[in-house]
Amino acid sequence: MEDATQHEQASPEIQARIRKSFDSQGLMAHLGARLTHIGPGRVHIELPARPEVTQQHGYFHAGATSAVADSAGGYAAFTLFPEDTSVLSVEYKINLLAPAVGDRIEAIGTVLRPGRTLTVCRLEVLAVQEERRKLVASGQQTLIRVD
């Protein structure tokens, strides 16, 4: 079911803050991940297929899948935090539903419940092959606002 707000863009100031933080993450750069959508309470991160992010059977590695999901949720929460704060993951759980195979994976973090201290996000990862999308992982995450 498509949410009418899922394509809404965050303000230019929030987008710049998210991009600056994302660009400082060594792991995301190492993996080759890129931000593709920054909206209020919703962030998409894509990871192109390359041998360095796969496991022995050629599927996207669960570690790479989980890492982009964690960052998508963290940045979704961060879009709703005040300017002079930061974000840290407190915990997350992810279920790997199917082997992730495709041209790329797309992690989507969506805020379920914003809070003054703790925020809860839904995590989804889709494998994309020639524009066909398949849900391959689903999870939930709790994040803390750091002043």
Side-chain angles (χ1 to χ4, degrees), residues 41-115:
R42 188 177 177 100
V43 166
H44 298 213
I45 298 174
E46 285 188 356
L47 180 61
R50 352 188 303 272
E52 296 84 357
V53 297
T54 62
Q55 45 84 292
Q56 70 276 16
H57 301 292
Y59 305 128
F60 280 87
H61 193 284
T65 301
S66 298
V68 293
D70 174 49
S71 286
Y75 284 118
F78 197 37
T79 66
L80 303 180
F81 290 0
E83 184 177 337
D84 59 346
T85 62
S86 190
V87 62
L88 289 173
S89 294
V90 173
E91 63 83 28
Y92 72 96
K93 181 202 186 313
I94 194 154
N95 292 95
L96 303 168
L97 306 172
V101 63
D103 301 322
R104 65 188 184 277
I105 56 173
E106 179 183 22
I108 303 168
T110 307
V111 172
L112 295 175
R113 186 183 184 288

Side-chain angles (χ1 to χ4, degrees), residues 2-75:
E2 192 163 306
D3 178 0
T5 64
Q6 76 181 37
H7 300 295
E8 185 179 346
Q9 297 291 315
S11 72
E13 297 79 18
I14 290 173
Q15 288 194 40
R17 180 166 50 110
I18 300 302
R19 289 189 190 287
K20 180 180 178 187
S21 177
F22 185 84
D23 290 346
S24 71
Q25 280 201 15
L27 181 60
M28 292 298 106
H30 179 71
L31 293 174
R34 61 183 182 259
L35 287 165
T36 58
H37 174 77
I38 304 168
R42 188 177 177 100
V43 166
H44 298 213
I45 298 174
E46 285 188 356
L47 180 61
R50 352 188 303 272
E52 296 84 357
V53 297
T54 62
Q55 45 84 292
Q56 70 276 16
H57 301 292
Y59 305 128
F60 280 87
H61 193 284
T65 301
S66 298
V68 293
D70 174 49
S71 286
Y75 284 118

